[in-house]
């Protein structure tokens, strides 16, 4: 027989339900991120950019909206492992050095920023799978580093943009450092590539000089960023 001093018994099922409530916002967010990731992977492995000439004709056919189409296409490409070189060269073919450089920098900056936040949402473990063979390189350079590491990797010849974008989000590079470093580092490379496209469509001394100066700046900035990154790594406490 139950004691008269015992209080009322709380219904266990109701407590369990309250304690294990379904967090729908988290489920929706994670589902959306997974869908975005799958779409980006599909684009990366199944879509190939046409030649610069074909892109030029396609974008030019949009008339007054060509600016917006170019920026949007560039941003989408920058979200994926598809190389951005063709887009930058197309900017030079279509808009010339000055206008093409501005539009290219806007497009690639938006794409890089979007990839950064996708990685922040996916988390380190999932992003590591996404980066694949680039994971160790991104981890070695970006872990416990920020501004200088992003600048160096952005300028490193042959190293694509997308591991820097996703790696920065996954390894905790602050948004401020990521945006400032990206804004600084994409300028010389993008201007140089756009100038190549402009030189192809309109060969001239001016475009040739822009290409040369742009790559010289890339080399100097890469050297500076590497030196700063090594200094910070040497001064950082060992884990």
């Amino acid at each position: 027989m139950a004691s008269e001093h015992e209080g009322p018994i709380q219904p266990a099922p109701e407590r369990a339900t309250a304690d294990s409530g379904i967090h729908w916002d988290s489920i929706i967010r994670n589902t959306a991120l997974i869908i975005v990731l799958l779409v980006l992977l599909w684009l990366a492995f199944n879509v190939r950019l046409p030649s610069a000439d074909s892109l030029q004709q396609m974008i030019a056919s949009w008339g007054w909206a060509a600016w917006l189409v170019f920026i949007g296409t560039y941003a989408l490409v920058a979200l994926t492992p598809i190389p951005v070189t063709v887009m930058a060269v197309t900017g030079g073919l279509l808009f010339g050095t000055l206008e093409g450089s501005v539009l290219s920098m806007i497009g690639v900056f938006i794409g890089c920023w979007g990839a950064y936040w996708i990685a922040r949402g996916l988390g380190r473990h999932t992003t590591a799978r996404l980066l694949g063979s680039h994971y160790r390189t991104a981890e070695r350079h970006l872990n416990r580093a920020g501004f200088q590491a992003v600048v160096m990797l952005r300028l490193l010849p042959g190293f694509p943009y997308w591991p820097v974008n996703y790696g920065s989000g996954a390894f905790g590079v602050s948004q401020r450092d990521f945006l400032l470093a990206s804004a600084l580092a994409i300028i010389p490379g993008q201007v140089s590539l756009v100038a190549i496209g402009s030189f192809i469509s309109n060969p001239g001394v001016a475009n040739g000089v822009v290409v040369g100066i742009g790559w010289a700046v890339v080399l100097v900035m890469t050297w500076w960023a590497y030196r700063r990154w090594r200094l910070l790594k040497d001064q950082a406490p060992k884990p």
Side-chain angles (χ1 to χ4, degrees), residues 67-80 82-89 91 100-116 154 159-162 164-166 178-179 181-191 193-194:
W67 279 18
L68 298 177
V69 172
F70 178 79
I71 291 174
T73 303
Y74 207 149
L76 181 61
V77 169
L79 283 171
T80 73
I82 300 173
V84 300
T85 304
V86 175
M87 290 301 304
V89 172
S101 296
V102 173
L103 297 177
S104 293
M105 286 186 285
I106 293 173
V108 76
F109 189 81
I110 293 173
C112 291
W113 196 5
Y116 172 87
R154 283 262 186 261
F159 197 78
Y161 273 16
W162 70 276
V164 184
N165 304 331
Y166 288 96
F178 176 78
L179 293 179
S182 296
L184 176 65
I186 65 176
I187 293 174
Q190 289 297 301
V191 171
L193 291 171
V194 171

Side-chain angles (χ1 to χ4, degrees), residues 113-125:
W113 196 5
Y116 172 87
W117 278 106
I118 289 174
R120 290 282 291 267
L122 291 174
R124 185 166 183 158
H125 181 70

